[in-house]
């Protein structure tokens, strides 16, 4: 399958049409941004890590009953996916306090929650992806009540599956962001699952093994992405 016209270029990926109207090709870039694009850089090898890792995670989740956009990996950076229409909602689940949660409530990072949290952000760069409650999402017509139910059900499976999987690799799943799309009328998991979109801390040292190394200038960024992929592939 070959790339035709470029449909879209995001901060971390490009999406291309293919000869099949039901399939797109995504191409992962090494570009990295943070703080809604204010901080820009490159992480050498990131595109390949995120592509290969996402595809492993999607296949694992399919086996657990979560439908995903994954079709076939073409090469290190490129994957054939189902031509979904992305819902303009980011779903964030948290097991441990960190990032914007710690900042919003003025608490330290590392508080382990009894129950995972579930939240939506409205996917809108001009507005800085604001936190969005369910009734606002419904009022704006961003999703239907039925879609929210499906998203909650799948997200819970994603959290449980990833938590267990990463723990076997010596990584704690602190939090993550996922996106869903609609394909043939059904809600399916799309976008990516990578160190860009998950917070992962080393089980033994609590060292940050994710994009926070770039966001916070912690060093060893490239090496950390490679290490996470190595562990995920084991
Ligand atoms: P946050 O603590 O900054 O809200 O981030 C929560 C999780 O979402 C974290 O694992 C990083 C991920 N994330 C994205 O994937 N994209 C984003 O634009 C942001 C802000 C966070």
């Amino acid at each position: 399958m070959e790339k035709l016209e470029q449909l879209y270029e995001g901060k971390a990926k490009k999406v291309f049409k293919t000869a099949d109207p039901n399939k797109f090709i995504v191409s992962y870039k090494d570009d990295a941004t943070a703080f809604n694009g204010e901080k820009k850089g490159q992480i050498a090898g990131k595109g390949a890590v995120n592509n290969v890792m996402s595809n492993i995670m999607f296949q694992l989740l399919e086996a657990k009953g979560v439908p995903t956009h994954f079709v076939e990996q073409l090469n290190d950076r490129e994957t054939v996916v189902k031509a979904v229409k992305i819902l303009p909602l980011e779903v964030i689940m948290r097991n441990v306090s960190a990032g914007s949660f710690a900042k919003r409530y003025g608490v330290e990072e590392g508080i382990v929650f009894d129950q995972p949290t579930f939240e939506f952000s409205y996917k809108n760069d001009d507005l800085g992806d604001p936190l969005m409650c369910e009734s606002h999402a419904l009022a704006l017509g961003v999703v239907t009540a039925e879609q929210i139910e499906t998203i909650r059900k799948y997200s819970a499976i994603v959290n449980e599956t990833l938590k267990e999987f990463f723990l076997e690799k010596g990584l704690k799943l602190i939090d993550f962001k996922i996106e869903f799309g609609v394909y043939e009328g059904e809600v399916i998991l799309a976008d990516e699952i990578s160190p860009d979109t998950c917070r992962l801390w080393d089980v033994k040292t609590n060292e940050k093994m994710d994009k926070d190394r770039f966001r916070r200038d912690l060093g060893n960024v490239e090496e950390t992405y490679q290490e996470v992929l190595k562990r995920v592939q084991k």
Side-chain angles (χ1 to χ4, degrees):
M1 192 164 279
E2 282 181 29
K3 293 182 296 215
L4 299 179
E5 174 199 340
Q6 183 175 305
L7 267 179
Y8 172 79
E9 177 162 5
K11 285 179 284 205
K13 297 186 283 301
K14 295 177 183 174
V15 181
F16 296 87
K17 280 189 179 176
T18 69
D20 179 346
N22 294 316
K23 306 276 190 318
F24 293 150
I25 291 174
V26 289
S27 179
Y28 284 73
K29 307 191 288 185
D30 284 350
D31 297 348
T33 62
F35 316 116
N36 202 20
E38 257 174 58
K39 180 181 171 91
K40 286 194 179 71
Q42 291 255 316
I43 302 172
K46 174 172 86 78
V49 169
N50 289 5
N51 180 41
V52 173
M53 175 165 165
S54 291
N55 293 340
I56 293 170
M57 309 318 297
F58 286 137
Q59 289 171 86
L60 175 69
L61 290 165
E62 289 271 356
K64 299 281 183 181
V66 179
T68 79
H69 74 168
F70 176 75
V71 177
E72 180 195 6
Q73 185 169 304
L74 290 178
N75 55 56
D76 263 14
R77 277 174 196 276
E78 296 176 333
T79 294
V80 181
V81 299
K82 293 171 189 158
V84 298
K85 190 169 190 310
I86 293 282
L87 293 167
L89 276 184
E90 300 190 340
V91 174
I92 294 161
M93 289 194 71
R94 304 175 192 270
N95 297 303
V96 178
S97 67
S100 71
F101 182 99
K103 191 164 177 228
R104 182 182 310 277
Y105 299 110
V107 296
E108 75 267 33
E109 298 198 315
I111 303 165
V112 180
F113 303 142
D114 291 338
Q115 295 286 327
T117 67
F118 177 92
E119 78 207 41
F120 291 129
S121 286
Y122 184 37
K123 227 173 117 67
N124 183 316
D125 281 339
D126 293 339
L127 302 175
D129 296 343
L131 187 67
M132 179 178 255
C133 67
E134 237 177 84
S135 71
H136 288 187
L138 290 171
L140 271 186
V142 166
V143 270
T144 65
E146 194 189 355
Q147 287 172 331
I148 290 183
E149 216 174 293
T150 306
I151 288 170
R152 274 188 181 278
K153 182 180 76 181
Y154 290 156
S155 299
I157 301 175
V158 172
N159 186 42
E160 287 308 313
T161 304
L162 296 191
K163 230 170 50 177
E164 187 186 327
F165 175 82
F166 285 126
L167 205 55
E168 284 168 14
K169 315 294 179 184
L171 295 166
K172 282 193 266 191
L173 178 62
I174 304 303
D175 57 31
F176 62 91
K177 184 269 299 179
I178 48 181
E179 296 183 21
F180 291 89
V182 177
Y183 180 73
E184 295 178 341
E186 301 296 324
V187 170
I188 68 173
L189 185 63
D191 195 50
E192 67 179 274
I193 298 176
S194 71
D196 275 15
T197 62
C198 300
R199 281 198 176 90
L200 301 165
W201 295 357
D202 183 84
V203 166
K204 288 195 191 122
T205 64
N206 270 340
E207 205 181 335
K208 298 187 192 317
M209 305 284 285
D210 56 60
K211 194 176 166 190
D212 274 346
R213 302 208 72 83
F214 168 80
R215 295 189 187 99
R216 304 178 189 186
D217 297 317
L218 299 176
N220 288 330
V221 183
E222 280 86 3
E223 294 83 347
T224 299
Y225 275 74
Q226 296 300 332
E227 170 64 18
V228 171
L229 179 63
K230 201 173 99 189
R231 291 198 199 182
V232 163
Q233 284 180 316
K234 260 195 194 148

